[in-house]
Amino acid sequence: MTIEEGLANVRKRIANAARECGRDPAEITLIAVTKTHPPEMMNEAIRLGVTDIGENKPQEVRDKFDKVLPVRWHLIGHLQTNKIKYIIDRCAMIHSVDSIKLMDEIDRLAVLHNKDIDILIQVNISGELSKSGIAPEELESLLEHAGALSKTHVKGLMTIAPKAEFGDPAIHFQNMKKLFDSVKSRKFENVEMRELSMGMSGDFEAAVKCGATMVRVGSAIFGARNYGQPSA
């Protein structure tokens, strides 16, 4: 499978899933996940029309940034406070924010760089111990804290569902959409429930049918990752 074939197939599947539930495919942003893949592959995808890419590790953003064509960068993996410096002036959105401490440090560096940055709050909707993210009942405290931030803006929520062999991911996506809609119906300063980031290569169609506005797809576009080689 070439990148062109993989990308065309994913776009078709997103469009079909959207239409099946009465949604406009244009509502869904495809984030091409480029973890471990070199800039050459990323640039090929961008030339084929990819507008948003996602990286799991801040170091990969730092190392690849100047070698990649203009594109919107998303940090989608776990983020430690001491690694924010690698992405603060490079990423348009951080999907994996899961603590007030992290929110504050992102905002401190955003102010330092005089840059507004959008974030999503990562929710562990399934309660799976191996997953990052806050419990749903902890969400309100982070949303209330958003009002104290000056350059950092909450634009929605993100989740990772358990793999399909551990049950139907749609159940977790449906619960996430209910939580998203519940927050959307309330007023929090500096919070706009615009984006719901959920769904990856194995379950993005279910996520689209449950209301995802962003899907994060890597292997279905680029093929299997090569963890034995440098990423850049």
Side-chain angles (χ1 to χ4, degrees):
M1 181 186 71
T2 66
I3 293 174
E4 185 174 13
E5 291 168 340
L7 190 56
N9 181 54
V10 167
R11 285 171 169 159
K12 181 179 179 181
R13 290 166 63 188
I14 289 173
N16 288 342
R19 293 189 183 104
E20 281 182 30
C21 60
R23 298 183 65 196
D24 181 351
E27 296 174 5
I28 297 105
T29 299
L30 170 61
I31 298 173
V33 179
T34 51
K35 178 181 179 181
T36 79
H37 295 307
E40 294 77 17
M41 293 177 71
M42 298 166 69
N43 285 333
E44 182 178 349
I46 294 167
R47 291 187 187 99
L48 290 167
V50 165
T51 58
D52 296 75
I53 61 161
E55 282 289 348
N56 286 67
K57 295 183 177 181
Q59 298 95 316
E60 287 204 58
V61 176
R62 175 196 63 189
D63 295 343
K64 296 176 181 179
F65 189 83
D66 291 333
K67 303 172 186 175
V68 173
L69 294 168
V71 70
R72 284 190 296 270
W73 292 72
H74 300 251
L75 194 284
I76 62 173
H78 180 67
L79 180 61
Q80 297 173 312
T81 54
N82 65 337
K83 302 293 176 59
I84 299 169
K85 60 190 176 185
Y86 297 146
I87 65 166
I88 193 66
D89 57 347
R90 296 178 170 100
C91 286
M93 179 173 281
I94 302 172
H95 291 229
S96 49
V97 178
D98 60 1
S99 72
I100 288 174
K101 178 183 177 183
L102 189 57
M103 294 169 77
D104 284 344
E105 184 61 10
I106 291 170
D107 198 53
R108 185 184 75 81
L109 290 175
V111 169
L112 194 64
H113 286 264
N114 192 29
K115 181 194 174 183
D116 288 275
I117 188 160
D118 294 338
I119 64 170
L120 305 180
I121 305 299
Q122 182 174 356
V123 179
N124 184 353
I125 197 69
S126 68
E128 188 180 3
L129 294 178
S130 63
K131 293 283 189 293
S132 297
I134 60 167
E137 57 268 24
E138 298 173 323
L139 177 59
E140 185 167 343
S141 64
L142 271 71
L143 296 175
E144 289 178 342
H145 187 72
L149 307 176
S150 58
K151 302 290 282 185
T152 306
H153 314 289
V154 177
K155 295 298 182 180
L157 306 177
M158 183 270 249
T159 199
I160 303 171
K163 293 181 179 178
E165 55 260 38
F166 297 106
D168 185 358
I171 294 170
H172 305 292
F173 293 147
Q174 289 165 1
N175 289 337
M176 195 69 192
K177 182 61 162 61
K178 289 176 184 176
L179 182 63
F180 178 84
D181 288 341
S182 174
V183 173
K184 197 171 186 177
S185 68
R186 303 172 64 191
K187 289 289 185 182
F188 292 93
E189 187 180 351
N190 193 29
V191 173
E192 180 186 4
M193 285 293 109
R194 188 180 73 197
E195 305 292 357
L196 181 54
S197 172
M198 58 185 191
M200 301 189 293
S201 286
D203 55 21
F204 66 85
E205 289 156 303
V208 168
K209 292 176 183 178
C210 293
T213 66
M214 290 179 162
V215 293
R216 312 177 303 271
V217 182
S219 58
I221 297 172
F222 298 101
R225 297 184 180 102
N226 185 353
Y227 290 98
Q229 297 296 325
S231 61

